[in-house]
Amino acid sequence: MKPENTDCTERCPVLETVTRWTRRKDARPGEILDAALDLFVARGFSATKVEDIARAAGVTAGTIYRYYANKEDILKAVIRESLVPTLQEGEQLIAQFDGSGPELLAFVIRTWWQMHGATKLSGIPKLMIAEASNFPELARFHREEVIARGENLIASAIQFGIDRGEFRPVALDVAVKVVVAPVVMAMVWKNTDICPGLDLDHYLEEVIETLIHGLGARPGDKQNGESEA
Amino acid sequence: MKPENTDCTERCPVLETVTRWTRRKDARPGEILDAALDLFVARGFSATKVEDIARAAGVTAGTIYRYYANKEDILKAVIRESLVPTLQEGEQLIAQFDGSGPELLAFVIRTWWQMHGATKLSGIPKLMIAEASNFPELARFHREEVIARGENLIASAIQFGIDRGEFRPVALDVAVKVVVAPVVMAMVWKNTDICPGLDLDHYLEEVIETLIHGLGARPGDKQNGESEA
Amino acid sequence: MKPENTDCTERCPVLETVTRWTRRKDARPGEILDAALDLFVARGFSATKVEDIARAAGVTAGTIYRYYANKEDILKAVIRESLVPTLQEGEQLIAQFDGSGPELLAFVIRTWWQMHGATKLSGIPKLMIAEASNFPELARFHREEVIARGENLIASAIQFGIDRGEFRPVALDVAVKVVVAPVVMAMVWKNTDICPGLDLDHYLEEVIETLIHGLGARPGDKQNGESEA
Amino acid sequence: MKPENTDCTERCPVLETVTRWTRRKDARPGEILDAALDLFVARGFSATKVEDIARAAGVTAGTIYRYYANKEDILKAVIRESLVPTLQEGEQLIAQFDGSGPELLAFVIRTWWQMHGATKLSGIPKLMIAEASNFPELARFHREEVIARGENLIASAIQFGIDRGEFRPVALDVAVKVVVAPVVMAMVWKNTDICPGLDLDHYLEEVIETLIHGLGARPGDKQNGESEA
DNA sequence: TATGAATGAGGCTTCATTCAT
DNA sequence: TATGAATGAAGCCTCATTCAT
């Protein structure tokens, strides 16, 4: 029942000599969230003990309650404060990109992966998949503040390509999911041991290749705005 | 929180005649697994109480321990006895299929969806994603007995298409994942409320369309077994 | 901080031989309330540990939660189920009494004392005094279902005496409290060690004597219903 | 739950000039006790958090431990330093009183009420009732230093009346309790919400009236020291 | 075979108390 | 002297599991 005891107690040794009250209090909440994200992703919400989070953050369980009202609150903070900041960054990067529709789509996917997939934030999709139904408000937040914004970027890229005749005219809402799915799965696999040996970078390049050609305009496609003659 | 008491009789009618893991008549264990699957998928393993499973199965908690040594055992049984039977069926169906590579690939995906995606078995991917790291042996079983076999089918279809020059020559292991990802995500979404309004059938058709063209051979592709001249 | 460890673990030795599942389950709630009343009265609500109640009732803490949702619930049950039954009895006894106003008043007080003061129910006033402000709903219940009914009996007795010219005309609401106060204090003292050597029976007789004469009609009192001439 | 920040300046104006246990100027300990009394009375000892006391006193929790070794110490100080000073005052006032036995008894009761009952000190009886059994030494102190002295005053008054033939010859120890009970109950009610609408001043006057006549000598009473002829 | 009362270990949370600043 | 971050010992409560019936 007890999953292998992943003891995450590797603290910064320098701090050990400094007494416990010297700790930079401003960093506490961040350290706690950091530890919590790791553990929630690795074990799930219920199976993660508050004391584990505390130990991983280098504090006692009691300390956590100075910053978060309860365990659920930690989860909320993890989700709320993790993705949104980098989302803004991503949006800006992408806004500045110049190139064709397919190039833009590839850029969006690669940027997304660099900023989330390649970091520990990649654990959040797994976490949301596991816990969304247990925390509906959190799910709503994630849907509206994270997913919706991320999908907008993808939708724009696709639409851009459609407008330029590079992509065939597809239903945007569905096409967006077709793009999202393989990237999210990559994040899930990265945090899961479901596909141990998979080379995710290779996989992602193949995803990009497949999507771009799969969505590509084909002779006989009705062009947007073109007359049908 | 209580999931609707899924009577589990709305299945693919083809399957009704075939054995299922839920047998009637002295069907206690099956009913328990049935209930357990529902609850594990809806709430996760830790958050599901044995007594809830019992109640949903129409028995009391004590009864469950006549059939399963402990809670983890229930989870194992759910995974072990759920997918494997239908896998065999699927393998047979697909073996009998006659058509081109793209047609075969589409058929594999659609069959997979009908037998699993459209069923409550669609919950298992979500469950495995959430719990794989907590139950490594179970993850191994799932990987070897379910995923590997499923991916074989897909690999065969792709290879078949490559051999016939209908698909471009791709790295099979990666290409398989490119196919798997969007279908698994569909099952996740179906059990998650992460994408509330999504029309999964429409989505899946678009996935098939995109994959087939995305994997499609393109002028200049090196054909398998062809001389390069 | 820890008050002297009053270990209330004197169980019925006969039952010890019988296995723990044999215990008459129907008696459980009663035994728990019994133990809880003792401890709540002796130590107060907060200072009483659920485990103490359990031990005093001969069960484990977990068992208590089969019968009561939480600690507060135990307190509520203690109050609700303790006094009301004997109140009814008392009301009937008193309704049958035949005698003068002073005799009736004395009878009411003595009956009250015999049924509550001399039993462990005498602890409840102390408990309510200590906890009323922490549990307003409970206080309201006690006020409306217990105090109000008890005071009605006293009010009737006083009114009866006034009508017969045996008591002077007093404001009933206030007079009732004048009667109630010394009896309630007797119960408090009985459960408190504040007045160690006090002979409560002697005290009560003196209270009755003092009240009867203190409330007694005096020459020159305006009689109810008499002309003033 | 937060009691109104009783500025504690609405006291019997006579007392204002006299020393009180709340001194200004470096009055930290006094302010802490002030706050503690409020909270202990309102919620009880266990349910009062040290930090609440601190906040109500305008300091932080740590500060409290400069003045008191622990929470129990605060309680002790509250009891020890609260009543004793005003007791002396009361004793002096009463020593100077000139009048009959009944008048003296009425004066004692009214003075007591003015100095304690009408003050926030009125909360102490409730506090002692609730906590006496948890803090036996404190109870002993209260019994010996407060109750005993207070009851002496009352005993003197009664004895004085008996000696003058105004009161019937009663057992002093019991008679004292008969007088004490209704006044203490008034203080309890004042701090309790058990008798919401009660007019305590009216009540007390009726108590005095009833006691004086209830204790009053009656024709045929054996007079103290009188020959029986 | 099924029940459900009971257990007891363990998790979440509170809070009196400490102590470097 | 005052602060407030941090601790750690409990206390409340849950729930997987047992077992007499």
Side-chain angles (χ1 to χ4, degrees), chain A residues 1 42-43 133-134 168 193 206 209 218, chain B residues 42-43 72 133-134 143 168 206 209 218:
Chain A
M1 188 112 326
R43 307 180 187 175
S133 32
N134 289 329
R168 59 193 164 86
D193 262 331
E206 190 58 55
E209 178 75 13
R218 294 192 287 272
Chain B
R43 306 179 191 175
E72 184 173 345
S133 34
N134 289 329
R143 206 158 48 229
R168 58 192 165 87
E206 190 58 56
E209 179 76 12
R218 294 193 286 273

mmCIF file with all atom_site columns, all heavy atoms in Angstrom, chain A residues 1 42-43 133-134 168 193 206 209 218, chain B residues 42-43 72 133-134 143 168 206 209 218:
data_model
loop_
_atom_site.group_PDB
_atom_site.id
_atom_site.type_symbol
_atom_site.label_atom_id
_atom_site.label_alt_id
_atom_site.label_comp_id
_atom_site.label_asym_id
_atom_site.label_entity_id
_atom_site.label_seq_id
_atom_site.pdbx_PDB_ins_code
_atom_site.Cartn_x
_atom_site.Cartn_y
_atom_site.Cartn_z
_atom_site.occupancy
_atom_site.B_iso_or_equiv
_atom_site.pdbx_formal_charge
_atom_site.auth_seq_id
_atom_site.auth_comp_id
_atom_site.auth_asym_id
_atom_site.auth_atom_id
_atom_site.pdbx_PDB_model_num
ATOM 1   N N   . MET A 1 1   ? 0.836   -1.227 0.000   1.00 0.00 ? 1   MET A N   1
ATOM 2   C CA  . MET A 1 1   ? 0.000   0.000  0.000   1.00 0.00 ? 1   MET A CA  1
ATOM 3   C C   . MET A 1 1   ? 0.858   1.260  0.000   1.00 0.00 ? 1   MET A C   1
ATOM 4   O O   . MET A 1 1   ? 0.668   2.166  -0.766  1.00 0.00 ? 1   MET A O   1
ATOM 5   C CB  . MET A 1 1   ? -0.874  0.032  1.270   1.00 0.00 ? 1   MET A CB  1
ATOM 6   C CG  . MET A 1 1   ? -1.900  1.150  1.257   1.00 0.00 ? 1   MET A CG  1
ATOM 7   S SD  . MET A 1 1   ? -3.572  0.527  1.123   1.00 0.00 ? 1   MET A SD  1
ATOM 8   C CE  . MET A 1 1   ? -3.380  -0.903 0.101   1.00 0.00 ? 1   MET A CE  1
ATOM 9   N N   . ALA A 1 42  ? 4.098   13.206 -7.900  1.00 0.00 ? 42  ALA A N   1
ATOM 10  C CA  . ALA A 1 42  ? 4.647   11.858 -7.800  1.00 0.00 ? 42  ALA A CA  1
ATOM 11  C C   . ALA A 1 42  ? 3.649   10.869 -7.213  1.00 0.00 ? 42  ALA A C   1
ATOM 12  O O   . ALA A 1 42  ? 3.534   9.740  -7.676  1.00 0.00 ? 42  ALA A O   1
ATOM 13  C CB  . ALA A 1 42  ? 5.918   11.875 -6.958  1.00 0.00 ? 42  ALA A CB  1
ATOM 14  N N   . ARG A 1 43  ? 2.900   11.312 -6.206  1.00 0.00 ? 43  ARG A N   1
ATOM 15  C CA  . ARG A 1 43  ? 2.073   10.346 -5.460  1.00 0.00 ? 43  ARG A CA  1
ATOM 16  C C   . ARG A 1 43  ? 0.583   10.610 -5.543  1.00 0.00 ? 43  ARG A C   1
ATOM 17  O O   . ARG A 1 43  ? -0.223  9.772  -5.136  1.00 0.00 ? 43  ARG A O   1
ATOM 18  C CB  . ARG A 1 43  ? 2.453   10.387 -3.981  1.00 0.00 ? 43  ARG A CB  1
ATOM 19  C CG  . ARG A 1 43  ? 3.929   10.216 -3.732  1.00 0.00 ? 43  ARG A CG  1
ATOM 20  C CD  . ARG A 1 43  ? 4.217   10.267 -2.251  1.00 0.00 ? 43  ARG A CD  1
ATOM 21  N NE  . ARG A 1 43  ? 5.647   10.272 -2.013  1.00 0.00 ? 43  ARG A NE  1
ATOM 22  C CZ  . ARG A 1 43  ? 6.205   10.415 -0.831  1.00 0.00 ? 43  ARG A CZ  1
ATOM 23  N NH1 . ARG A 1 43  ? 5.424   10.554 0.240   1.00 0.00 ? 43  ARG A NH1 1
ATOM 24  N NH2 . ARG A 1 43  ? 7.514   10.425 -0.682  1.00 0.00 ? 43  ARG A NH2 1
ATOM 25  N N   . SER A 1 133 ? -11.702 16.003 -10.723 1.00 0.00 ? 133 SER A N   1
ATOM 26  C CA  . SER A 1 133 ? -13.075 15.722 -10.284 1.00 0.00 ? 133 SER A CA  1
ATOM 27  C C   . SER A 1 133 ? -13.244 15.843 -8.776  1.00 0.00 ? 133 SER A C   1
ATOM 28  O O   . SER A 1 133 ? -14.353 16.020 -8.282  1.00 0.00 ? 133 SER A O   1
ATOM 29  C CB  . SER A 1 133 ? -13.539 14.349 -10.770 1.00 0.00 ? 133 SER A CB  1
ATOM 30  O OG  . SER A 1 133 ? -12.467 13.454 -10.843 1.00 0.00 ? 133 SER A OG  1
ATOM 31  N N   . ASN A 1 134 ? -12.150 15.787 -8.034  1.00 0.00 ? 134 ASN A N   1
ATOM 32  C CA  . ASN A 1 134 ? -12.266 15.961 -6.585  1.00 0.00 ? 134 ASN A CA  1
ATOM 33  C C   . ASN A 1 134 ? -12.286 17.430 -6.160  1.00 0.00 ? 134 ASN A C   1
ATOM 34  O O   . ASN A 1 134 ? -12.699 17.740 -5.051  1.00 0.00 ? 134 ASN A O   1
ATOM 35  C CB  . ASN A 1 134 ? -11.112 15.259 -5.868  1.00 0.00 ? 134 ASN A CB  1
ATOM 36  C CG  . ASN A 1 134 ? -11.231 13.760 -5.929  1.00 0.00 ? 134 ASN A CG  1
ATOM 37  O OD1 . ASN A 1 134 ? -12.330 13.217 -5.957  1.00 0.00 ? 134 ASN A OD1 1
ATOM 38  N ND2 . ASN A 1 134 ? -10.101 13.073 -5.961  1.00 0.00 ? 134 ASN A ND2 1
ATOM 39  N N   . ARG A 1 168 ? -5.703  23.233 -43.928 1.00 0.00 ? 168 ARG A N   1
ATOM 40  C CA  . ARG A 1 168 ? -7.069  23.047 -44.439 1.00 0.00 ? 168 ARG A CA  1
ATOM 41  C C   . ARG A 1 168 ? -8.047  23.615 -43.430 1.00 0.00 ? 168 ARG A C   1
ATOM 42  O O   . ARG A 1 168 ? -7.728  23.771 -42.244 1.00 0.00 ? 168 ARG A O   1
ATOM 43  C CB  . ARG A 1 168 ? -7.341  21.568 -44.704 1.00 0.00 ? 168 ARG A CB  1
ATOM 44  C CG  . ARG A 1 168 ? -7.184  20.687 -43.494 1.00 0.00 ? 168 ARG A CG  1
ATOM 45  C CD  . ARG A 1 168 ? -7.156  19.200 -43.905 1.00 0.00 ? 168 ARG A CD  1
ATOM 46  N NE  . ARG A 1 168 ? -6.644  18.383 -42.822 1.00 0.00 ? 168 ARG A NE  1
ATOM 47  C CZ  . ARG A 1 168 ? -7.393  17.889 -41.828 1.00 0.00 ? 168 ARG A CZ  1
ATOM 48  N NH1 . ARG A 1 168 ? -8.705  18.155 -41.784 1.00 0.00 ? 168 ARG A NH1 1
ATOM 49  N NH2 . ARG A 1 168 ? -6.853  17.156 -40.895 1.00 0.00 ? 168 ARG A NH2 1
ATOM 50  N N   . ASP A 1 193 ? 6.250   7.032  -15.848 1.00 0.00 ? 193 ASP A N   1
ATOM 51  C CA  . ASP A 1 193 ? 6.801   5.683  -15.989 1.00 0.00 ? 193 ASP A CA  1
ATOM 52  C C   . ASP A 1 193 ? 5.890   4.765  -16.776 1.00 0.00 ? 193 ASP A C   1
ATOM 53  O O   . ASP A 1 193 ? 6.046   3.540  -16.743 1.00 0.00 ? 193 ASP A O   1
ATOM 54  C CB  . ASP A 1 193 ? 7.029   5.034  -14.618 1.00 0.00 ? 193 ASP A CB  1
ATOM 55  C CG  . ASP A 1 193 ? 8.487   5.169  -14.196 1.00 0.00 ? 193 ASP A CG  1
ATOM 56  O OD1 . ASP A 1 193 ? 9.337   5.219  -15.091 1.00 0.00 ? 193 ASP A OD1 1
ATOM 57  O OD2 . ASP A 1 193 ? 8.742   5.233  -12.985 1.00 0.00 ? 193 ASP A OD2 1
ATOM 58  N N   . GLU A 1 206 ? 8.241   14.379 -34.077 1.00 0.00 ? 206 GLU A N   1
ATOM 59  C CA  . GLU A 1 206 ? 7.355   13.600 -34.946 1.00 0.00 ? 206 GLU A CA  1
ATOM 60  C C   . GLU A 1 206 ? 5.920   14.108 -34.830 1.00 0.00 ? 206 GLU A C   1
ATOM 61  O O   . GLU A 1 206 ? 5.171   14.134 -35.817 1.00 0.00 ? 206 GLU A O   1
ATOM 62  C CB  . GLU A 1 206 ? 7.441   12.111 -34.561 1.00 0.00 ? 206 GLU A CB  1
ATOM 63  C CG  . GLU A 1 206 ? 6.764   11.193 -35.545 1.00 0.00 ? 206 GLU A CG  1
ATOM 64  C CD  . GLU A 1 206 ? 7.340   11.330 -36.958 1.00 0.00 ? 206 GLU A CD  1
ATOM 65  O OE1 . GLU A 1 206 ? 8.547   11.174 -37.124 1.00 0.00 ? 206 GLU A OE1 1
ATOM 66  O OE2 . GLU A 1 206 ? 6.542   11.621 -37.884 1.00 0.00 ? 206 GLU A OE2 1
ATOM 67  N N   . GLU A 1 209 ? 5.754   17.246 -36.908 1.00 0.00 ? 209 GLU A N   1
ATOM 68  C CA  . GLU A 1 209 ? 5.754   16.857 -38.324 1.00 0.00 ? 209 GLU A CA  1
ATOM 69  C C   . GLU A 1 209 ? 4.370   16.330 -38.733 1.00 0.00 ? 209 GLU A C   1
ATOM 70  O O   . GLU A 1 209 ? 3.791   16.749 -39.739 1.00 0.00 ? 209 GLU A O   1
ATOM 71  C CB  . GLU A 1 209 ? 6.814   15.753 -38.526 1.00 0.00 ? 209 GLU A CB  1
ATOM 72  C CG  . GLU A 1 209 ? 6.920   15.212 -39.929 1.00 0.00 ? 209 GLU A CG  1
ATOM 73  C CD  . GLU A 1 209 ? 7.613   16.185 -40.860 1.00 0.00 ? 209 GLU A CD  1
ATOM 74  O OE1 . GLU A 1 209 ? 8.226   17.155 -40.339 1.00 0.00 ? 209 GLU A OE1 1
ATOM 75  O OE2 . GLU A 1 209 ? 7.523   16.017 -42.098 1.00 0.00 ? 209 GLU A OE2 1
ATOM 76  N N   . ARG A 1 218 ? -4.901  20.599 -48.628 1.00 0.00 ? 218 ARG A N   1
ATOM 77  C CA  . ARG A 1 218 ? -4.720  19.624 -49.696 1.00 0.00 ? 218 ARG A CA  1
ATOM 78  C C   . ARG A 1 218 ? -5.445  20.112 -50.931 1.00 0.00 ? 218 ARG A C   1
ATOM 79  O O   . ARG A 1 218 ? -6.444  20.828 -50.834 1.00 0.00 ? 218 ARG A O   1
ATOM 80  C CB  . ARG A 1 218 ? -5.250  18.265 -49.254 1.00 0.00 ? 218 ARG A CB  1
ATOM 81  C CG  . ARG A 1 218 ? -4.421  17.692 -48.103 1.00 0.00 ? 218 ARG A CG  1
ATOM 82  C CD  . ARG A 1 218 ? -4.754  16.247 -47.856 1.00 0.00 ? 218 ARG A CD  1
ATOM 83  N NE  . ARG A 1 218 ? -6.048  16.088 -47.222 1.00 0.00 ? 218 ARG A NE  1
ATOM 84  C CZ  . ARG A 1 218 ? -6.254  16.104 -45.911 1.00 0.00 ? 218 ARG A CZ  1
ATOM 85  N NH1 . ARG A 1 218 ? -5.228  16.317 -45.089 1.00 0.00 ? 218 ARG A NH1 1
ATOM 86  N NH2 . ARG A 1 218 ? -7.444  15.956 -45.425 1.00 0.00 ? 218 ARG A NH2 1
ATOM 87  N N   . ALA B 1 42  ? -13.422 7.849  -10.649 1.00 0.00 ? 42  ALA B N   1
ATOM 88  C CA  . ALA B 1 42  ? -14.025 9.139  -10.319 1.00 0.00 ? 42  ALA B CA  1
ATOM 89  C C   . ALA B 1 42  ? -13.213 9.890  -9.270  1.00 0.00 ? 42  ALA B C   1
ATOM 90  O O   . ALA B 1 42  ? -13.062 11.105 -9.351  1.00 0.00 ? 42  ALA B O   1
ATOM 91  C CB  . ALA B 1 42  ? -15.450 8.940  -9.823  1.00 0.00 ? 42  ALA B CB  1
ATOM 92  N N   . ARG B 1 43  ? -12.703 9.171  -8.275  1.00 0.00 ? 43  ARG B N   1
ATOM 93  C CA  . ARG B 1 43  ? -12.107 9.866  -7.132  1.00 0.00 ? 43  ARG B CA  1
ATOM 94  C C   . ARG B 1 43  ? -10.629 9.583  -6.940  1.00 0.00 ? 43  ARG B C   1
ATOM 95  O O   . ARG B 1 43  ? -9.967  10.259 -6.158  1.00 0.00 ? 43  ARG B O   1
ATOM 96  C CB  . ARG B 1 43  ? -12.816 9.427  -5.848  1.00 0.00 ? 43  ARG B CB  1
ATOM 97  C CG  . ARG B 1 43  ? -14.308 9.602  -5.904  1.00 0.00 ? 43  ARG B CG  1
ATOM 98  C CD  . ARG B 1 43  ? -14.927 9.128  -4.605  1.00 0.00 ? 43  ARG B CD  1
ATOM 99  N NE  . ARG B 1 43  ? -16.373 9.044  -4.739  1.00 0.00 ? 43  ARG B NE  1
ATOM 100 C CZ  . ARG B 1 43  ? -17.173 8.569  -3.800  1.00 0.00 ? 43  ARG B CZ  1
ATOM 101 N NH1 . ARG B 1 43  ? -16.649 8.144  -2.660  1.00 0.00 ? 43  ARG B NH1 1
ATOM 102 N NH2 . ARG B 1 43  ? -18.472 8.532  -3.983  1.00 0.00 ? 43  ARG B NH2 1
ATOM 103 N N   . GLU B 1 72  ? -5.641  -2.591 -2.133  1.00 0.00 ? 72  GLU B N   1
ATOM 104 C CA  . GLU B 1 72  ? -4.745  -2.595 -3.282  1.00 0.00 ? 72  GLU B CA  1
ATOM 105 C C   . GLU B 1 72  ? -5.072  -3.763 -4.205  1.00 0.00 ? 72  GLU B C   1
ATOM 106 O O   . GLU B 1 72  ? -5.007  -3.635 -5.435  1.00 0.00 ? 72  GLU B O   1
ATOM 107 C CB  . GLU B 1 72  ? -3.293  -2.694 -2.798  1.00 0.00 ? 72  GLU B CB  1
ATOM 108 C CG  . GLU B 1 72  ? -2.299  -2.604 -3.934  1.00 0.00 ? 72  GLU B CG  1
ATOM 109 C CD  . GLU B 1 72  ? -0.861  -2.520 -3.413  1.00 0.00 ? 72  GLU B CD  1
ATOM 110 O OE1 . GLU B 1 72  ? -0.668  -2.246 -2.212  1.00 0.00 ? 72  GLU B OE1 1
ATOM 111 O OE2 . GLU B 1 72  ? 0.051   -2.733 -4.224  1.00 0.00 ? 72  GLU B OE2 1
ATOM 112 N N   . SER B 1 133 ? 2.686   5.458  -10.508 1.00 0.00 ? 133 SER B N   1
ATOM 113 C CA  . SER B 1 133 ? 3.921   5.588  -9.726  1.00 0.00 ? 133 SER B CA  1
ATOM 114 C C   . SER B 1 133 ? 3.747   5.069  -8.303  1.00 0.00 ? 133 SER B C   1
ATOM 115 O O   . SER B 1 133 ? 4.742   4.761  -7.640  1.00 0.00 ? 133 SER B O   1
ATOM 116 C CB  . SER B 1 133 ? 4.416   7.032  -9.734  1.00 0.00 ? 133 SER B CB  1
ATOM 117 O OG  . SER B 1 133 ? 3.344   7.939  -9.756  1.00 0.00 ? 133 SER B OG  1
ATOM 118 N N   . ASN B 1 134 ? 2.507   4.955  -7.836  1.00 0.00 ? 134 ASN B N   1
ATOM 119 C CA  . ASN B 1 134 ? 2.308   4.397  -6.502  1.00 0.00 ? 134 ASN B CA  1
ATOM 120 C C   . ASN B 1 134 ? 2.310   2.868  -6.493  1.00 0.00 ? 134 ASN B C   1
ATOM 121 O O   . ASN B 1 134 ? 2.478   2.258  -5.435  1.00 0.00 ? 134 ASN B O   1
ATOM 122 C CB  . ASN B 1 134 ? 0.994   4.894  -5.900  1.00 0.00 ? 134 ASN B CB  1
ATOM 123 C CG  . ASN B 1 134 ? 1.055   6.352  -5.526  1.00 0.00 ? 134 ASN B CG  1
ATOM 124 O OD1 . ASN B 1 134 ? 2.115   6.855  -5.170  1.00 0.00 ? 134 ASN B OD1 1
ATOM 125 N ND2 . ASN B 1 134 ? -0.069  7.040  -5.617  1.00 0.00 ? 134 ASN B ND2 1
ATOM 126 N N   . ARG B 1 143 ? 1.779   -2.143 -18.471 1.00 0.00 ? 143 ARG B N   1
ATOM 127 C CA  . ARG B 1 143 ? 2.657   -1.827 -19.584 1.00 0.00 ? 143 ARG B CA  1
ATOM 128 C C   . ARG B 1 143 ? 2.827   -3.052 -20.470 1.00 0.00 ? 143 ARG B C   1
ATOM 129 O O   . ARG B 1 143 ? 2.687   -2.988 -21.688 1.00 0.00 ? 143 ARG B O   1
ATOM 130 C CB  . ARG B 1 143 ? 4.012   -1.389 -19.017 1.00 0.00 ? 143 ARG B CB  1
ATOM 131 C CG  . ARG B 1 143 ? 4.800   -0.479 -19.901 1.00 0.00 ? 143 ARG B CG  1
ATOM 132 C CD  . ARG B 1 143 ? 5.818   0.309  -19.083 1.00 0.00 ? 143 ARG B CD  1
ATOM 133 N NE  . ARG B 1 143 ? 6.572   -0.551 -18.184 1.00 0.00 ? 143 ARG B NE  1
ATOM 134 C CZ  . ARG B 1 143 ? 6.759   -0.305 -16.877 1.00 0.00 ? 143 ARG B CZ  1
ATOM 135 N NH1 . ARG B 1 143 ? 6.221   0.772  -16.321 1.00 0.00 ? 143 ARG B NH1 1
ATOM 136 N NH2 . ARG B 1 143 ? 7.459   -1.123 -16.132 1.00 0.00 ? 143 ARG B NH2 1
ATOM 137 N N   . ARG B 1 168 ? 4.650   7.271  -44.819 1.00 0.00 ? 168 ARG B N   1
ATOM 138 C CA  . ARG B 1 168 ? 6.080   7.540  -44.934 1.00 0.00 ? 168 ARG B CA  1
ATOM 139 C C   . ARG B 1 168 ? 6.822   6.707  -43.895 1.00 0.00 ? 168 ARG B C   1
ATOM 140 O O   . ARG B 1 168 ? 6.253   6.262  -42.899 1.00 0.00 ? 168 ARG B O   1
ATOM 141 C CB  . ARG B 1 168 ? 6.364   9.023  -44.738 1.00 0.00 ? 168 ARG B CB  1
ATOM 142 C CG  . ARG B 1 168 ? 5.894   9.578  -43.407 1.00 0.00 ? 168 ARG B CG  1
ATOM 143 C CD  . ARG B 1 168 ? 5.932   11.102 -43.407 1.00 0.00 ? 168 ARG B CD  1
ATOM 144 N NE  . ARG B 1 168 ? 5.160   11.617 -42.287 1.00 0.00 ? 168 ARG B NE  1
ATOM 145 C CZ  . ARG B 1 168 ? 5.665   11.806 -41.079 1.00 0.00 ? 168 ARG B CZ  1
ATOM 146 N NH1 . ARG B 1 168 ? 6.909   11.493 -40.816 1.00 0.00 ? 168 ARG B NH1 1
ATOM 147 N NH2 . ARG B 1 168 ? 4.903   12.294 -40.119 1.00 0.00 ? 168 ARG B NH2 1
ATOM 148 N N   . GLU B 1 206 ? -11.408 13.687 -36.511 1.00 0.00 ? 206 GLU B N   1
ATOM 149 C CA  . GLU B 1 206 ? -10.383 14.647 -36.931 1.00 0.00 ? 206 GLU B CA  1
ATOM 150 C C   . GLU B 1 206 ? -8.987  14.098 -36.629 1.00 0.00 ? 206 GLU B C   1
ATOM 151 O O   . GLU B 1 206 ? -8.040  14.291 -37.399 1.00 0.00 ? 206 GLU B O   1
ATOM 152 C CB  . GLU B 1 206 ? -10.604 15.981 -36.201 1.00 0.00 ? 206 GLU B CB  1
ATOM 153 C CG  . GLU B 1 206 ? -9.747  17.119 -36.727 1.00 0.00 ? 206 GLU B CG  1
ATOM 154 C CD  . GLU B 1 206 ? -9.974  17.381 -38.217 1.00 0.00 ? 206 GLU B CD  1
ATOM 155 O OE1 . GLU B 1 206 ? -11.134 17.619 -38.604 1.00 0.00 ? 206 GLU B OE1 1
ATOM 156 O OE2 . GLU B 1 206 ? -8.992  17.305 -39.000 1.00 0.00 ? 206 GLU B OE2 1
ATOM 157 N N   . GLU B 1 209 ? -8.238  11.583 -39.358 1.00 0.00 ? 209 GLU B N   1
ATOM 158 C CA  . GLU B 1 209 ? -7.933  12.334 -40.579 1.00 0.00 ? 209 GLU B CA  1
ATOM 159 C C   . GLU B 1 209 ? -6.507  12.904 -40.527 1.00 0.00 ? 209 GLU B C   1
ATOM 160 O O   . GLU B 1 209 ? -5.707  12.748 -41.447 1.00 0.00 ? 209 GLU B O   1
ATOM 161 C CB  . GLU B 1 209 ? -8.952  13.474 -40.725 1.00 0.00 ? 209 GLU B CB  1
ATOM 162 C CG  . GLU B 1 209 ? -8.764  14.364 -41.927 1.00 0.00 ? 209 GLU B CG  1
ATOM 163 C CD  . GLU B 1 209 ? -9.227  13.685 -43.209 1.00 0.00 ? 209 GLU B CD  1
ATOM 164 O OE1 . GLU B 1 209 ? -9.887  12.622 -43.095 1.00 0.00 ? 209 GLU B OE1 1
ATOM 165 O OE2 . GLU B 1 209 ? -8.901  14.189 -44.298 1.00 0.00 ? 209 GLU B OE2 1
ATOM 166 N N   . ARG B 1 218 ? 4.811   11.041 -48.732 1.00 0.00 ? 218 ARG B N   1
ATOM 167 C CA  . ARG B 1 218 ? 4.821   12.267 -49.527 1.00 0.00 ? 218 ARG B CA  1
ATOM 168 C C   . ARG B 1 218 ? 5.820   12.092 -50.651 1.00 0.00 ? 218 ARG B C   1
ATOM 169 O O   . ARG B 1 218 ? 6.786   11.340 -50.534 1.00 0.00 ? 218 ARG B O   1
ATOM 170 C CB  . ARG B 1 218 ? 5.204   13.442 -48.636 1.00 0.00 ? 218 ARG B CB  1
ATOM 171 C CG  . ARG B 1 218 ? 4.154   13.709 -47.572 1.00 0.00 ? 218 ARG B CG  1
ATOM 172 C CD  . ARG B 1 218 ? 4.366   15.034 -46.917 1.00 0.00 ? 218 ARG B CD  1
ATOM 173 N NE  . ARG B 1 218 ? 5.494   15.002 -46.003 1.00 0.00 ? 218 ARG B NE  1
ATOM 174 C CZ  . ARG B 1 218 ? 5.409   14.630 -44.733 1.00 0.00 ? 218 ARG B CZ  1
ATOM 175 N NH1 . ARG B 1 218 ? 4.236   14.226 -44.232 1.00 0.00 ? 218 ARG B NH1 1
ATOM 176 N NH2 . ARG B 1 218 ? 6.468   14.627 -43.985 1.00 0.00 ? 218 ARG B NH2 1
#
